[in-house]
Amino acid sequence: MGRFFRIIIIVSCFMSLMACSDDEEENVVSTISYKLPEGCDWKDVPLKEKTLYRIDSMEEFESLNLTDCDGIDIDFEKYTLLYHRFATGAVEAITTKLYRTEESPNQYYLKTIIYKYKGNKPVPAIMHIQHVALIVNKLDRDASVELSVVEK
């Protein structure tokens, strides 16, 4: 599980939580995109769209009924899973970063940017359910994480 890497995105300012500055990148917290084991799928259960689920234990994960399989391989003693889903049309890319706020080391915000398809070819107006799951080093019990979903 030590294969943490940074998700590369185009940086934009999140004005409601932080002022736009060059040091925004200094507040990025390392995450890894979580993929379900082979043969597993995320369920399209009716979860609240644009709601962030912070999952700190296997019991919490199982109670949300997010998948139709066993064999989830997250060590919840060491890691926290951040999960959200949303419906969208055709997209070119989806990027996500976790930031620690400057005001408090125990406050974070997760920013997902949806880059809408802007090509020349027409695409069917079909809505797709997108799942975002990130693993981060175990967050303190009193840490708070706010979600921001931006469409461009």
Side-chain angles (χ1 to χ4, degrees), residues 79-121:
Y79 304 104
T80 295
L81 177 68
L82 301 175
Y83 173 83
H84 73 97
R85 59 174 252 158
F86 52 90
T88 186
V91 297
E92 290 184 7
I94 298 170
T95 58
T96 304
K97 274 194 180 179
L98 180 65
Y99 297 92
R100 182 183 309 245
T101 63
E102 290 179 4
E103 297 82 25
S104 172
N106 246 354
Q107 290 182 330
Y108 302 83
Y109 70 93
L110 184 68
K111 185 174 184 180
T112 296
I113 302 175
I114 305 163
Y115 295 95
K116 295 261 188 180
Y117 178 75
K118 293 180 176 41
N120 296 330
K121 297 179 183 177

Side-chain angles (χ1 to χ4, degrees), residues 10 27 42 48-49 101-104 135:
I10 298 172
N27 297 321
W42 294 107
K48 295 178 185 171
E49 196 169 318
T101 63
E102 290 179 4
E103 297 82 25
S104 172
I135 293 178

Side-chain angles (χ1 to χ4, degrees), residues 51-57 60-61 64 76 79-84 106 108 134 136-145:
T51 297
L52 179 67
Y53 295 88
R54 173 186 165 171
I55 305 166
D56 288 307
S57 69
E60 289 177 9
F61 186 91
L64 289 171
F76 285 109
Y79 304 104
T80 295
L81 177 68
L82 301 175
Y83 173 83
H84 73 97
N106 246 354
Y108 302 83
L134 299 172
V136 62
N137 283 334
K138 190 73 168 185
L139 297 177
D140 290 339
R141 183 166 292 289
D142 60 341
S144 65
V145 185

Side-chain angles (χ1 to χ4, degrees), residues 53-76:
Y53 295 88
R54 173 186 165 171
I55 305 166
D56 288 307
S57 69
M58 186 57 74
E59 292 78 21
E60 289 177 9
F61 186 91
E62 289 172 350
S63 72
L64 289 171
N65 197 28
L66 298 173
T67 67
D68 59 355
C69 69
D70 297 325
I72 301 305
D73 55 353
I74 301 170
D75 182 352
F76 285 109

